[in-house]
Amino acid sequence: MITRVAKFKDKMRETSVLDMRANQARTFFLKSESYCSLDLPPYFDFGTIIKAINKKFNDAPPALRPEKSRGANYIIYSNKDGRFAWRPFQLIHPVIYVDLVRRITEPNAWAKIKERFKKFGRDEKIRCLSIPQESRTKQKDQAAQIYHWWQGIEQKSIELALDFNYMYHADISDCYASIYTHSVAWAVHGKKKAKDKRRDKSMIGNVIDKRLQSMQDGQTNGIPQGSVLMDMIAELILGYADLKVSKCLEKEKITDFIILRYRDDYRIFVNDSQAGETILKVLTEVLIGLGLRLNASKTTNALPIIEAAIKDDKRAWLRSRQRDKNLQKHLLLIHAHGIDYPNAGSLIVALDEFHKRMRTRKKVQNPVQLISIAIDIGYASPRCFPVCAAIVSKLLSMLSTKGEKLDTLGRIRRRLAQLPNSGHLEAWLQRISYPFDATIPYTGKLCKLVAGDQVDLWDNQWISDVNLRKAVDSSSIGKPPFFVPGAMLVPAPVQG
C-alpha cells in the first residue's frame, strides 16, 4: 500500500500560499475548494456565488456592517463517533468571507502577513508543515495538502530516527473553538503593539479580529472551521506560538531537538527524555498564554521513533490480512479493522481500495448484504461515509428492480436516522438516493437546494446594498446534477 501511495505522491506538485503574490493568494482563497474544505458531494459548488459577490466588490466596494448580522454562518454538523460526539463545520457568510479575503490580500496587508510567517519560521528546529498548499496538477488542493503531510510529517518522522532516540506527541484540545480572536492581532503585530493600538482599524490584525467576531455574534472565543482561509488564520496564531516556544527553549539552552508541527499536532524529537519533558512544559505554558491547551489524553511520553512515526491504526492494518478474493470477506476484513480503529485514515484507504475494486463490476453476489456491511462501517465511522456512499451507490445499481432499490434505500435511511447531528451524512445519503428517486425528502438546507426548493442558507438582512444582497443567491450552490444510476462516486483523496 505504501508503494501505491508513494507512486501517487511522486506525481504531486504544490505551491505554498506563502509563495504567492497578493493577487494570486486572493484568487486561491476565493476558489470554491478553499471556501469550503468540508467533503461534500461534488455538485455543491460555491464558486458562482463567490465570484458574483467579488464582482460587486470590484464594481463598487460596499459599506458593510457585518457586526449587525446574527447567526451569519451556516453550520453543518458532522457526527464524529456514531453516537453523541459531533463537530460543527461552518459555511461563512460569503459576503463576510469575500470581504475578509480582499482585506487580507491587499498588497500591504499580505506583505505584513508573509513577513510575520517568515519570522515565525526562523528557527529551523521548529518546522510548520501545514501552510495551505495549492495543487499545480489536475489533482485537488486537498490531495496536495495530504502529500505535504505524508512527506513532511510521516516520512520525515521515520527519517529522524537516524538522528534522535525518542519522539513525543501532543495536540491542542478543541483548537479552532478555543482560539481567542484578539490573539490574531498579537500574532501579526506583537502583543504589546496590538494592545496599545487595539482600536487602530488600519492594522490588519485588528481587521481580522473584528471580522471573526462579526461571524460569531460578537464572540471573541473560537473561529469557524471548514475553510482554507480559517486554516491560514489558525496558522498565524500557531506560528506565533512557535516563535514564543523557540525563544523560551533558547533561554532554557535546549538545542538538541526537532519539532514537526502540522496545524495543532506536534511531534517532538529528542535524544534526552528530560529535554522532551521540558519542551512539553514550555509548549503548555505558551499555549495557555494564548488561551489554548494540550489534550492530556493524546499527549505521550517518550516513544521509540519508528514505532511512533506510523499511526497505530496504519501499523495494525499493515500487519493484517487486507484482502480476500471474495468481496464479502474483503469488506468484512475492513469492517473488523473499523471496529478496532473507527474513523481512522487507514480505514478510509482500505475502503477506497475496495471502492476501486468495484469499478468494473456489473454484478456481484449478495449486494444487499454488502450494502449492509458498508452502511454499518459508515455508521460507526462517519468520517468514512463519503467513500461508503460510493460503494453503496454502485451496489444499489446492481439490484434487480426499482422496487428493490427503493426498499433498500428506505432501510438505509431508517438505519442512519438514528444518528444525531448528521447534516453532513444526510448530504451524502441524498447523493446515493437521488438517481433512484429524486423526490425523497430531506430536512437539511443543502439537501433542499438540490431538490430545487427556495432556501436561504444565510441571514442577509444586515446587507443594505440591494444588488449585493441579490448576489447572495443560494440556488446556485446545489444545482440538481444529472446522475447516471450506478455511476461511481468519486470520494476525496485519501491519506496513505
Side-chain angles (χ1 to χ4, degrees), residues 43 402 405-406 409 413 426 429-443 446-453 478-485:
Y43 47 81
K402 183 176 181 179
K405 292 170 185 175
L406 294 178
L409 273 171
R413 294 185 70 210
E426 186 183 54
L429 182 56
Q430 184 186 42
R431 172 59 183 91
I432 296 172
S433 67
Y434 197 96
F436 306 102
D437 186 351
T439 66
I440 293 176
Y442 292 93
T443 59
L446 287 175
C447 292
K448 287 180 178 294
L449 286 173
V450 174
D453 296 347
K479 290 291 187 183
F482 295 98
F483 288 130
V484 177

Side-chain angles (χ1 to χ4, degrees), residues 30 35 50 53 57 62 64-73 91-104 207-208 210-217 224 229-230 233 458-460 462-463 468 472:
L30 291 179
Y35 170 75
I50 294 294
I53 293 168
F57 276 82
L64 298 178
R65 296 291 301 276
E67 65 275 8
K68 290 188 174 182
S69 65
R70 289 293 176 265
N73 302 339
L91 297 179
I92 298 170
H93 194 292
V95 171
I96 301 177
Y97 181 88
V98 171
D99 177 59
L100 182 53
V101 167
R102 291 175 67 91
R103 289 171 179 268
I104 286 174
V207 170
I208 297 171
K210 289 296 183 183
R211 285 298 184 261
L212 291 174
Q213 292 179 52
S214 69
M215 294 175 188
Q216 304 188 113
D217 298 335
L229 181 65
M230 290 300 113
I233 290 172
W458 303 279
D459 171 28
N460 300 321
W462 60 275
I463 303 174
L468 180 60
V472 188

Side-chain angles (χ1 to χ4, degrees), residues 469-482:
R469 192 185 303 170
K470 287 180 179 178
V472 188
D473 180 11
S474 299
S475 66
S476 66
I477 292 169
K479 290 291 187 183
F482 295 98

Side-chain angles (χ1 to χ4, degrees), residues 119-136:
K119 189 171 184 179
F120 297 158
R122 71 180 185 181
D123 188 346
E124 293 183 355
K125 294 182 179 298
I126 303 179
R127 305 173 188 175
C128 168
L129 283 305
S130 44
I131 298 299
Q133 305 290 313
E134 182 173 40
S135 173
R136 295 170 59 189

Side-chain angles (χ1 to χ4, degrees), residues 276-464:
E277 296 293 337
T278 301
I279 293 171
L280 279 177
K281 176 177 176 292
V282 166
L283 179 58
T284 298
E285 292 170 349
V286 167
L287 291 174
I288 287 173
L290 295 171
L292 304 171
R293 60 187 176 84
L294 291 180
N295 188 333
S297 67
K298 293 185 178 180
T299 301
T300 66
N301 294 321
L303 297 170
I305 293 176
I306 297 295
E307 177 184 347
I310 308 297
K311 292 182 178 179
D312 291 346
D313 65 279
K314 185 172 182 178
R315 283 190 288 108
W317 185 242
L318 290 171
R319 289 196 300 263
S320 70
R321 183 183 171 197
Q322 299 180 6
R323 192 180 176 100
D324 192 280
K325 289 183 179 180
N326 180 279
L327 281 174
Q328 187 175 122
K329 289 180 180 178
H330 183 181
L331 195 54
L332 285 170
L333 289 171
I334 299 171
H335 184 277
H337 184 61
I339 292 173
D340 293 334
Y341 299 98
N343 287 311
S346 58
L347 180 60
I348 299 175
V349 171
L351 286 165
D352 185 55
E353 288 294 322
F354 186 85
H355 167 258
K356 289 176 180 176
R357 188 179 175 188
M358 295 288 296
R359 277 186 181 156
T360 57
R361 303 285 181 125
K362 294 184 178 179
K363 195 172 183 180
V364 298
Q365 187 177 13
N366 297 326
V368 175
Q369 285 79 359
L370 290 172
I371 289 170
S372 180
I373 297 167
I375 289 296
D376 199 60
I377 294 171
Y379 186 97
S381 299
R383 181 188 171 202
C384 304
F385 198 81
V387 68
C388 289
I391 293 166
V392 170
S393 179
K394 180 66 175 179
L395 291 167
L396 278 170
S397 71
M398 298 179 183
L399 300 182
S400 301
T401 66
K402 183 176 181 179
E404 189 178 6
K405 292 170 185 175
L406 294 178
D407 177 68
T408 305
L409 273 171
R411 296 167 75 182
I412 292 170
R413 294 185 70 210
R414 287 190 293 274
R415 168 77 166 133
L416 296 178
Q418 301 173 52
L419 278 175
N421 296 320
S422 56
H424 177 232
L425 182 147
E426 186 183 54
W428 280 101
L429 182 56
Q430 184 186 42
R431 172 59 183 91
I432 296 172
S433 67
Y434 197 96
F436 306 102
D437 186 351
T439 66
I440 293 176
Y442 292 93
T443 59
K445 286 187 176 182
L446 287 175
C447 292
K448 287 180 178 294
L449 286 173
V450 174
D453 296 347
Q454 292 294 321
V455 175
D456 289 324
L457 289 184
W458 303 279
D459 171 28
N460 300 321
Q461 296 305 309
W462 60 275
I463 303 174
S464 58

